[in-house]
Amino acid sequence: MTPIGRRDFLTQFALITAAVSASGYSFGSVRKSDAFVEVATTHGRIKGMRNEGVSVFKGIPYGGRVSGDRRFRRPAPLQPWTGVRDALQVGPPAIQNPRRNEPAPSEDCLFLNVWTPASDNRKRPVMFYSHGGGFVIGSGASASQDGANLARNFDVVVVETNHRLGLLGFLYLDELAGADYAGSGNMGMLDIATGLKWVHDNIAQFGGDPANVMIWGESGGGAKTSCLYAMPEAAPYFNKASIESGPGVRMTPKDVAAETTAMLLKELNIAPKDWRKLLDVPAADLLAMQGKLPFVPPFQEKNKNQGMMRRNYGGFGPVVDGEVLPHHPFDPTAPAISRNKPLLVGWNEDEYTFFAWERKDTEFAKLDFEGLQKKLEPQYGADAPKIVDTYRKANPAATAPALYVAISSITMMGLGSIDIAEKKVKQGGAPVYLYNFGYKSEKKIPGTDYAMGTPHAMDISFKFNNEIPPRDGSESKESFFGGNRPERFAASHHFAELWTTFARTGKPAANDVPQWPAYNLKTRPTMRIDAQCEVIDNRFGEELAMWRAVGKL
């Protein structure tokens, strides 16, 4: 089995949402212990649920219709309603394969969920989360990212949106379709910006502070956050950001997006001048066509000879169109528009083990050092011996499988995260804080004796403080990724407290955690998040010097 390169990251990603969500409860359930609570919004009153100190509002519409003649366009105006609208069930997710415990996917998917301690005008910090799943799957109702514990335990307001994904969210038609379709290659991102505006206009009614909003997200949600950080339309509505295991340094150039559109039209036997026929193609057929194309990863590698990796055409994600997304989020520099907005960025230490689990890759766990070099050669060519030699010298006690995981993990998510941190420091504006999540799960990758460690996506349940002992005193259940050791509860609390404090103040801090210095280019401090946290200066220094030498950073 060949290594997963950064360019191929999402080709094996489709199970993540179903897998992680399966460990939670249904977002559609109303329990006998729930009481109802009402809030007034700009478009009408809504009724949510109050349970165990948290009010939850599900399926709130924040934009109008995006189907029919609104396909590939900005939403129709949201129509006010009379009376009280139920906000008790999550709204439909964007077009994708069906999701467990959620309504059937729909083109009209502009709904959001809110968790708040109380609707009492307290002006709490607002944590606006963008879900993962690349740009093609996922929703704001995934159980691992349930916001109740963050709201309950840390006195914040949590908001999550559904928004257009895939072909329906990112098909670039600007050069064919005229002014009504301006920004078509970024409709999914514009949906999120519309959700941020809804927060600005309404969140005070939910006990949140519209002047203190943090955007954050993991994997594809990290890449979406990277784009929002560079988008003029989003800029007025947030104050700080966190990019987690999804460093969106670069997005799709518009010439590549135009080629993808041309290829799609050809596959559908539609002449460019007849592009309007796309409005009549059933969404299910568009989803089937989308499935034939490669996914766009939440990062794109820089090629030292060409400046931009030229991937195979195909796939749908945010487009650097010069208007909605004026330039690559962090290339060549950090975006000036967010110069004064503090930033968190980082990744999980063992990102690759998720993909080994998902792909049923047991062979990596059998590698010796000779096999390690051979496994790296298809991706790194003549640099493979230098990579192995550097990692062996820097980690003399590590096994060949452990080095393969380390190499794969840092190239997937780490190098881009460091690139973002360095560019933010060079900008000379608000601080940036670099982290590694390192709590080690003891769960084994099936078919091996190799532990999951800190796989991709394990951070979701930890940072949402959903790794906690049961409140009723019953025996805790094993976490889907996190295992069964009680130390995970401390790691989860640290992670959640650091993030909620950052949301509140712009500086991450937590009890029983060392002071977290802002990143700088001299000591390069990195916070390692675990049951016991530590600040490590110039972490991976030898390895990063090598990656710079071979042009990967």
Side-chain angles (χ1 to χ4, degrees):
M1 180 172 288
T2 58
I4 294 182
R6 296 172 78 198
R7 63 182 292 180
D8 300 316
F9 166 69
L10 278 178
T11 59
Q12 298 294 331
F13 198 60
L15 287 183
I16 182 170
T17 306
V20 178
S21 296
S23 61
Y25 58 84
S26 168
F27 268 55
S29 59
V30 178
R31 295 156 294 199
K32 290 183 179 179
S33 59
D34 293 331
F36 296 126
V37 58
E38 292 185 14
V39 168
T41 75
T42 50
H43 287 77
R45 295 188 67 81
I46 58 173
K47 179 171 67 176
M49 299 177 293
R50 180 128 187 114
N51 183 265
E52 296 183 339
V54 178
S55 298
V56 185
F57 301 85
K58 305 173 184 177
I60 306 170
Y62 68 90
R65 181 173 52 83
V66 290
S67 60
D69 65 350
R70 287 285 174 166
R71 182 182 279 183
F72 311 124
R73 294 175 60 193
R74 290 180 181 256
L78 180 60
Q79 298 300 311
W81 56 87
T82 58
V84 180
R85 178 183 179 125
D86 282 353
L88 306 172
Q89 309 286 341
V90 297
I95 292 293
Q96 58 191 286
N97 290 329
R99 296 174 55 80
R100 179 172 175 166
N101 295 331
E102 295 186 36
S106 171
E107 283 197 63
D108 291 316
C109 60
L110 303 190
F111 299 92
L112 56 77
N113 308 313
V114 177
W115 294 260
T116 180
S119 302
D120 56 6
N121 298 311
R122 282 278 301 278
K123 291 191 174 181
R124 298 172 178 85
V126 180
M127 302 180 71
F128 184 101
Y129 188 76
S130 291
H131 66 75
F135 306 107
V136 294
I137 59 173
S139 85
S142 177
S144 61
Q145 65 199 39
D146 176 273
N149 285 333
L150 279 186
R152 177 185 299 109
N153 298 333
F154 297 96
D155 199 35
V156 297
V157 178
V158 181
V159 182
E160 301 176 21
T161 68
N162 291 351
H163 42 268
R164 281 174 282 183
L165 299 170
L167 191 158
L168 290 164
F170 299 100
L171 180 65
Y172 181 66
L173 293 170
D174 290 32
E175 295 168 14
L176 292 176
D180 284 349
Y181 292 83
S184 56
N186 288 300
M187 283 298 141
M189 294 308 308
L190 288 169
D191 291 345
I192 301 174
T194 300
L196 280 166
K197 184 179 186 304
W198 183 95
V199 165
H200 180 269
D201 294 343
N202 290 279
I203 208 65
Q205 302 290 351
F206 295 81
D209 184 356
N212 190 14
V213 177
M214 169 186 167
I215 56 172
W216 58 315
E218 181 270 348
S219 193
K224 293 168 191 173
T225 303
S226 301
C227 292
L228 293 168
Y229 202 70
M231 281 175 55
E233 193 148 336
Y237 305 124
F238 71 92
N239 312 88
K240 54 190 73 73
S242 175
I243 300 167
E244 302 142 11
S245 294
V249 176
R250 304 166 192 89
M251 290 293 124
T252 303
K254 63 181 179 181
D255 62 322
V256 174
E259 288 281 354
T260 300
T261 300
M263 180 180 65
L264 173 72
L265 291 172
K266 184 177 180 180
E267 289 292 321
L268 291 171
N269 199 27
I270 297 174
K273 65 181 178 62
D274 296 326
W275 64 269
R276 285 186 178 277
K277 291 182 179 180
L278 286 169
L279 304 181
D280 298 322
V281 178
D285 292 348
L286 294 179
L287 180 63
M289 182 61 64
Q290 174 184 302
K292 298 178 181 179
L293 302 175
F295 291 126
V296 173
F299 39 62
Q300 294 192 31
E301 260 185 299
K302 188 173 183 179
N303 183 296
K304 62 183 177 181
N305 297 319
Q306 296 176 294
M308 172 60 63
M309 179 188 73
R310 304 302 295 183
R311 61 177 175 81
N312 293 331
Y313 292 126
F316 301 96
V319 178
V320 184
D321 60 6
E323 298 293 336
V324 174
L325 189 57
H327 45 73
H328 294 289
F330 287 90
D331 186 36
T333 62
I337 199 170
S338 289
R339 183 180 188 274
N340 296 319
K341 296 179 180 182
L343 181 66
L344 283 169
V345 63
W347 75 100
N348 297 354
E349 289 179 351
D350 305 302
E351 300 272 1
Y352 177 77
T353 58
F354 169 86
F355 301 97
W357 165 79
E358 194 272 336
R359 301 173 84 196
K360 299 180 172 58
D361 176 12
T362 60
E363 293 304 309
F364 88 93
K366 304 172 186 176
L367 287 172
D368 57 21
F369 290 109
E370 181 180 356
L372 173 62
Q373 181 172 315
K374 290 181 179 178
K375 193 170 179 68
L376 295 174
E377 284 173 353
Q379 188 172 354
Y380 299 107
D383 291 327
K386 181 186 294 186
I387 294 169
V388 173
D389 183 59
T390 299
Y391 270 78
R392 291 191 72 176
K393 288 180 179 177
N395 306 275
T399 64
L403 292 186
Y404 182 70
V405 169
I407 291 165
S408 300
S409 299
I410 200 168
T411 53
M412 281 178 175
M413 304 295 180
L415 299 183
S417 300
I418 292 166
D419 189 17
I420 286 173
E422 291 180 348
K423 287 171 177 172
K424 183 65 179 172
V425 169
K426 291 174 183 177
Q427 189 178 50
V432 58
Y433 301 88
L434 185 68
Y435 78 91
N436 295 142
F437 180 43
Y439 176 81
K440 300 302 179 189
S441 170
E442 78 282 8
K443 292 187 71 171
K444 299 293 195 292
I445 297 172
T448 77
D449 288 326
Y450 199 93
M452 294 287 287
T454 318
H456 186 71
M458 191 176 89
D459 56 310
I460 300 174
S461 61
F462 279 73
K463 68 195 176 193
F464 275 91
N465 201 213
N466 289 332
E467 301 288 343
I468 59 173
R471 287 186 294 277
D472 62 6
S474 62
E475 185 176 352
S476 63
K477 296 180 180 179
E478 184 179 56
S479 169
F480 187 84
F481 279 143
N484 207 30
R485 294 191 295 116
E487 290 87 351
R488 73 186 189 277
F489 304 141
S492 179
H493 193 278
H494 290 328
F495 208 151
E497 187 176 1
L498 288 166
W499 259 238
T500 52
T501 304
F502 179 74
R504 182 167 280 108
T505 68
K507 180 177 175 59
N511 292 325
D512 303 320
V513 171
Q515 181 178 349
W516 187 347
Y519 196 72
N520 65 78
L521 301 183
K522 183 178 180 181
T523 60
R524 300 178 182 272
T526 301
M527 176 65 78
R528 184 179 184 275
I529 300 169
D530 200 336
Q532 291 186 319
C533 300
E534 61 177 323
V535 175
I536 305 173
D537 287 342
N538 197 29
R539 194 170 195 205
F540 308 120
E542 295 175 57
E543 296 96 321
L544 293 177
M546 179 273 299
W547 289 121
R548 288 188 176 92
V550 301
K552 296 294 184 180
L553 178 60

